[in-house]
């Protein structure tokens, strides 16, 4: 006689979602720094974002996909360079597009989670120094006020800046994001401006859209010390995470975004642990990293700050591996909840196979495949598997 495998339940009201970003799916975002960077022959980018997933036009298809999986929220970003194509010039058409998106999601029973800055900055602003220029803080707050005024009654959560630590590090230290600089000290100053931009954005959004929870989403890595690496680890974590976590005081939530771990030796990254699979993104398959980073976020921040997993996922062409990764990561979330940590929801990155920045369209993070010629969407088995977890609000042991 067959028996039902035992399961572990998530708390009642636990939120389930998936995520995208404007530049990675919309297509035709020609007026921002990433479009300029990906077309530079010296940037090292694999290809142009081009038409993306044609989601500027196909957003209703995307919303239907989210609904069919039974997810209760969809995290997406608004594209600053569409809404404010020139300084002080606001596109009502772009604002209304995002309003229709929010309304369409709500009609389908899906909460719109709006990210105000996801890696891209308008060209007119980068011509003035972008995030190197402290004036950008006020300009970003002004932009947030405009968007929150329009979307305040139709959005459910607001994320100010996506992974400001990655913006600063990859753009100004590693040189792999625009503007492609390799100046560590400058990256620290840019990071400070991004933290100040976040704080100004929180104030602007709260004023324009009172009652909408506002927070930051931060890229966190499960840093682990290799022999002799303890001191180096603390230094890396201080600059890569802690200065940004310090900027979340008074927020309504913290979005935790985790993909892997890094082993740190006396001189920095110590390479991969033998026998651990390395993924298309160039890092280890290590789903345990999510639980570990949630613990650290809770330990470092105010104990009362709710945590949301606003990104977690895997870039792979092996969909069975995707399911295995997410299953293990979710068991880590349940472990953390059992320990008394306030984790309110899980968001898988990403809904679609999309433009993965400097790596182009090769990495496949999506629950849904996208034909690069026709843009036809094809849900993968992982989409059906996640839908079954969501429907049960539980995970098999």
């Amino acid at each position: 006689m067959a028996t039902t495998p035992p399961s572990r339940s998530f708390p009642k009201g636990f939120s389930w979602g998936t995520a995208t970003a404007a530049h990675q799916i919309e297509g035709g975002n020609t007026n921002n720094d990433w479009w300029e960077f990906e077309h530079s022959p010296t940037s090292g980018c694999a290809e142009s974002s081009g038409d993306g997933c044609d989601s500027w036009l196909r957003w209703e298809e995307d919303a239907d996909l989210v609904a069919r999986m039974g997810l209760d929220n969809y995290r997406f970003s608004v594209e600053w360079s569409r809404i404010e194509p020139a300084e002080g010039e606001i596109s009502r058409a772009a604002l209304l597009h995002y309003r229709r998106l929010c309304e369409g999601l709500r009609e389908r029973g899906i909460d719109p989670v709006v990210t105000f800055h996801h890696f891209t900055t308008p060209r007119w602003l980068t011509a003035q120094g972008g995030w190197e220029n402290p004036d950008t803080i006020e300009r970003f707050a002004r932009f947030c006020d405009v968007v929150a005024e329009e979307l305040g009654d139709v959005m459910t959560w607001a994320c100010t800046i996506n992974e400001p630590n990655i913006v600063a590090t990859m753009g100004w230290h590693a040189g792999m994001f625009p503007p492609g600089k390799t100046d560590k000290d400058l990256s620290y100053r840019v990071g400070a401006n991004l933290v100040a931009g976040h704080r100004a954005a929180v104030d602007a959004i709260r004023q324009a859209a009172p009652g909408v929870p506002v927070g930051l989403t931060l890229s966190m890595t499960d840093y682990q010390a290799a022999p002799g690496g303890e001191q180096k680890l603390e230094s890396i974590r201080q600059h890569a995470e802690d200065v940004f976590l310090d900027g979340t005081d008074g927020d309504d939530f913290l979005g935790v975004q985790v993909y892997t771990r890094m082993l740190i030796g006396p001189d920095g990254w110590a390479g991969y642990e033998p026998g651990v699979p390395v993924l298309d993104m160039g890092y280890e398959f290590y789903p345990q990293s999510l639980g570990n980073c949630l613990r650290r976020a809770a330990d470092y921040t105010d104990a009362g700050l709710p945590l949301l997993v606003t990104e977690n996922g895997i870039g792979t062409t092996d969909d069975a591996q995707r399911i295995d990764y997410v299953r293990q990561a979710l068991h880590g979330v349940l472990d953390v909840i059992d320990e008394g940590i306030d984790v309110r929801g899980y968001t898988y990155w990403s809904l679609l196979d999309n433009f993965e920045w400097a790596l182009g369209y090769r990495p496949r993070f999506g629950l849904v495949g996208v034909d690069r010629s026709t843009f036809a969407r094809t849900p993968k088995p992982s989409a059906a598997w996640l839908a079954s977890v969501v429907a049960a609000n539980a995970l098999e042991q």
Side-chain angles (χ1 to χ4, degrees):
M1 178 178 175
T3 58
T4 303
S7 63
R8 303 176 69 191
S9 294
F10 289 85
K12 185 178 180 180
F14 190 81
S15 186
W16 296 96
T18 189
T20 59
H23 192 73
Q24 293 177 268
I25 67 166
E26 284 181 350
N29 279 331
T30 63
N31 193 30
N32 65 41
D33 56 346
W34 256 100
W35 183 273
E36 185 174 34
F37 187 71
E38 68 206 39
H39 286 83
S40 167
T42 61
S43 70
C45 290
E47 58 189 314
S48 162
S49 57
D51 290 321
C53 300
D54 196 29
S55 289
W56 182 260
L57 299 177
R58 297 171 187 258
W59 66 265
E60 289 184 281
E61 291 180 53
D62 297 343
D64 287 340
L65 288 164
V66 177
R68 282 201 290 272
M69 282 188 277
L71 302 171
D72 59 69
N73 77 80
Y74 176 50
R75 177 175 170 248
F76 65 93
S77 73
V78 295
E79 175 57 36
W80 189 352
S81 68
R82 286 188 188 268
I83 292 171
E84 191 174 6
E87 184 171 10
E89 182 178 324
I90 301 301
S91 168
R92 288 296 307 163
L95 279 174
L96 290 174
H97 168 87
Y98 291 116
R99 182 175 184 85
R100 285 195 298 273
L101 172 54
C102 289
E103 290 172 342
L105 290 168
R106 291 170 71 94
E107 288 165 6
R108 292 165 173 82
I110 301 163
D111 287 336
V113 181
V114 179
T115 302
F116 284 67
H117 185 282
H118 195 126
F119 288 175
T120 58
T121 301
R123 287 196 195 190
W124 61 262
L125 187 51
T126 58
Q128 300 174 26
W131 288 101
E132 294 177 38
N133 183 350
D135 292 344
T136 297
I137 297 164
E138 184 276 329
R139 294 186 177 106
F140 180 55
R142 182 184 63 197
F143 165 74
C144 290
D145 175 73
V146 168
V147 175
E149 180 71 28
E150 180 63 46
L151 303 184
D153 62 327
V154 289
M155 66 178 174
T156 306
W157 298 75
C159 305
T160 57
I161 302 176
N162 180 77
E163 300 184 341
N165 50 343
I166 296 298
V167 175
T169 300
M170 299 299 281
W172 280 267
H173 188 187
M176 295 178 65
F177 279 21
K181 296 185 178 182
T182 52
D183 183 332
K184 180 170 68 173
D185 291 337
L186 182 56
S187 75
Y188 296 159
R189 295 199 294 274
V190 168
N193 286 340
L194 285 159
V195 170
H198 163 66
R199 293 264 38 101
V202 169
D203 291 342
I205 294 167
R206 282 177 171 166
Q207 183 169 352
V212 175
V214 189
L216 181 75
T217 74
L218 190 69
S219 174
M220 298 189 70
T221 298
D222 183 10
Y223 293 110
Q224 298 182 12
E230 290 80 5
Q231 186 173 350
K232 186 68 173 178
L233 184 154
E234 290 305 320
S235 174
I236 289 172
R237 196 151 58 184
Q238 166 65 24
H239 293 294
E241 293 180 358
D242 294 356
V243 295
F244 299 94
L245 290 170
D246 290 339
T248 65
D249 187 41
D251 290 356
D252 298 306
F253 67 92
L254 170 65
V256 175
Q257 309 196 162
V258 183
Y259 292 91
T260 191
R261 69 167 174 176
M262 287 186 71
L263 299 176
I264 305 297
D267 300 316
W269 181 52
Y272 303 114
E273 184 177 57
V276 176
V278 177
L279 303 169
D280 289 346
M281 292 292 287
Y283 50 64
E284 287 186 356
F285 177 96
Y286 199 78
Q288 302 94 318
S289 59
L290 179 56
N292 292 339
C293 288
L294 287 168
R295 290 183 184 93
R296 181 165 193 277
D299 182 61
Y300 189 93
T301 59
D302 177 355
L305 183 65
L307 303 180
L308 287 169
V309 179
T310 42
E311 283 187 24
N312 176 251
I314 180 176
T316 182
T317 55
D318 181 349
D319 204 51
Q321 187 184 47
R322 187 184 327 279
I323 293 171
D324 183 35
Y325 178 94
V326 177
R327 179 187 288 113
Q328 291 191 52
L330 287 173
H331 275 296
V333 173
L334 284 165
D335 290 343
V336 166
I337 292 171
D338 287 346
E339 293 163 19
I341 295 174
D342 186 5
V343 182
R344 302 283 179 90
Y346 176 88
T347 300
Y348 179 82
W349 179 273
S350 173
L351 173 65
L352 305 172
D353 285 338
N354 56 35
F355 178 71
E356 193 52 52
W357 309 107
L359 298 179
Y361 288 95
R362 180 177 59 85
R364 305 294 175 88
F365 279 87
L367 296 165
V368 176
V370 179
D371 186 290
R372 295 305 317 147
S373 298
T374 66
F375 304 109
R377 275 85 161 131
T378 304
K380 302 174 187 178
S382 55
W385 175 83
L386 184 60
S388 70
V389 174
V390 172
N393 200 40
L395 194 64
E396 289 184 2
Q397 291 280 29

